[in-house]
Amino acid sequence: CKHNAGAHSLARMRDSDDIVETTIRTMTLDEMDPSVRNVRFIHVDTEGHDIKVLQGGRDFVKRQKALPFIQIEFCPYTLQQHDSNVAELISFMDEFGYEAHMNCTNVLGKLSRHTLREMFYLWAKDTAMLDLILVPCR
């Protein structure tokens, strides 16, 4: 992104005319070395691809000795720009037994699935975001 050095993306935002192309090698979490089995925290900040990263990491998460905490950037606007939605996030959470939390002045505040859905649709046209922390509840 020519206007924001921290906002690079692997895919073009639907409403962006700010394009610079380059070729890079990528891999999913599932393609990582299978001997990596003790990850306790995953931080994903991929400018709207966060849910896609989780979807490409199901086997990686399954093979961990214990479910890792996962932090993602929850920005409904950018998620939608990359064809993601809150139902995909909730499906991932349900599959593994995660609860969503947000940082409330260094205390984790639990967010219900209903609240996540509401935030997703209320913030659909805004750039509002928060760091969402997925906490294992099993």
Side-chain angles (χ1 to χ4, degrees):
C1 176
K2 295 176 186 174
H3 308 291
N4 182 347
H8 301 303
S9 180
L10 297 178
R12 180 180 178 187
M13 298 277 283
R14 285 189 207 137
D15 62 354
S16 175
D17 60 355
D18 190 18
I19 301 172
V20 176
E21 291 188 19
T22 188
T23 302
I24 60 168
R25 183 181 171 284
T26 63
M27 75 168 63
T28 66
L29 286 171
D30 287 349
E31 294 171 324
M32 289 184 62
D33 182 346
S35 68
V36 176
R37 300 178 44 85
N38 200 24
V39 172
R40 296 299 297 136
F41 183 80
I42 299 170
H43 180 178
V44 181
D45 183 354
T46 53
E47 301 302 318
H49 295 278
D50 302 53
I51 294 171
K52 302 295 187 203
V53 169
L54 296 180
Q55 291 172 326
R58 283 185 158 90
D59 291 339
F60 180 83
V61 171
K62 284 178 190 171
R63 72 175 171 249
Q64 299 310 306
K65 292 179 183 176
L67 282 178
F69 288 77
I70 302 173
Q71 180 175 329
I72 67 168
E73 189 174 85
F74 185 76
C75 179
Y77 177 77
T78 58
L79 292 170
Q80 289 179 90
Q81 292 291 309
H82 299 297
D83 298 318
S84 288
N85 63 61
V86 70
E88 294 171 313
L89 174 61
I90 291 171
S91 175
F92 180 89
M93 291 168 55
D94 290 344
E95 179 180 346
F96 290 99
Y98 278 104
E99 293 178 343
H101 291 74
M102 60 185 254
N103 186 346
C104 303
T105 317
N106 296 321
V107 175
L108 291 181
K110 184 177 176 184
L111 297 171
S112 70
R113 281 147 172 77
H114 175 75
T115 300
L116 284 174
R117 283 185 201 94
E118 282 191 0
M119 289 168 64
F120 190 83
Y121 294 108
L122 288 172
W123 294 358
K125 301 208 182 305
D126 195 339
T127 56
M129 61 79 60
L130 63 86
D131 287 327
L132 195 65
I133 301 150
L134 303 183
V135 176
C137 60
R138 291 185 191 162

